[in-house]
Amino acid sequence: MTGYSTLHVTPGDDRVVVALNRPEQRNAINAAMVAELHRVCADIESHPRVLIVTGTGADFAAGADIAELRGRGRDEALAGINRSVFDRIASLPLPTIAAVEGNALGGGAELTYACDLRVAGAGARFGNPEPGLGILAAAGASYRLADLVGKSMAKQVILGARVIDAQTALRCGLVGEVVADGTALATACGWTDRIVRQSSLALRLSKAVLDAQSAHPLLDDIAQAVLFESPDKSERMTRFLERKTS
């Protein structure tokens, strides 16, 4: 996958690793990066794989590009420029992982919230300082962060201007693991090694039912019915039983 100016994209058979690549701007998310993230999503939608997102340099992403934001008006806000790509990432068929080093602030934090899983280096920090700039955290924080950490913590971050460190993020469930600085990507790749050993179809349907917005017993039953008829299920259970009796 070539032709990217704001991302470094490393595709593989079972995963795509994307590094936000504007280190001089602390990986601030601009319109060009949004367009390139849409390209990555289109590729993964056509050939489902795990997505790992990380940052180049010291930070994951220190926010959206303020110079661009300052020039945006009502029409750009209604277009949901950043929100639309984060929603698309959240809807990718297989699990997505944010490997966070340094600052994940503003739009950078919202990109991590859009991922299914997060691993943080010890120096990672998460926050949404948008109200201090006179705007809303409108790229998913208002509806994703409370789901991830509870409304009280979400209000502390968004309304109270609280920046939470890696250990606090671990305690409140925002991240699944805190690792030594510089090793978040390697840990995310290790998680992916474990994930891709599972059934791809079972992962896709499990993610769909987990992300459903209300109680959904019939949806669970339908998804299970599809899996019960899959050759992969029969093969995996046969291997399990053969190992158990050998």
Side-chain angles (χ1 to χ4, degrees), residues 156-179:
Q156 290 178 55
V157 172
I158 297 172
L159 305 182
R162 180 177 180 182
V163 176
I164 59 175
D165 61 20
Q167 288 298 329
T168 303
L170 180 64
R171 288 194 297 272
C172 70
L174 180 59
V175 304
E177 189 174 352
V178 175
V179 297

Side-chain angles (χ1 to χ4, degrees), residues 83-170:
R83 178 199 51 74
S84 64
V85 76
F86 296 165
D87 285 352
R88 193 172 183 182
I89 289 169
S91 297
L92 288 173
L94 288 174
T96 56
I97 306 172
V100 184
E101 304 277 2
N103 288 302
L105 303 174
E110 289 176 303
L111 174 52
T112 74
Y113 306 157
C115 292
D116 297 304
L117 304 167
R118 286 152 295 278
V119 57
R125 301 166 73 242
F126 300 83
N128 287 98
E130 286 91 341
L133 295 168
I135 60 173
L136 184 73
S142 62
Y143 49 93
R144 288 200 178 95
L145 186 56
D147 285 344
L148 292 169
V149 302
K151 187 169 286 189
S152 175
M153 179 61 78
K155 286 185 174 182
Q156 290 178 55
V157 172
I158 297 172
L159 305 182
R162 180 177 180 182
V163 176
I164 59 175
D165 61 20
Q167 288 298 329
T168 303
L170 180 64

Side-chain angles (χ1 to χ4, degrees), residues 168-200:
T168 303
L170 180 64
R171 288 194 297 272
C172 70
L174 180 59
V175 304
E177 189 174 352
V178 175
V179 297
D181 285 332
T183 66
L185 178 57
T187 302
C189 289
W191 287 8
T192 303
D193 292 340
R194 184 174 70 234
I195 288 168
V196 299
R197 289 196 292 268
Q198 303 180 85
S199 161
S200 178

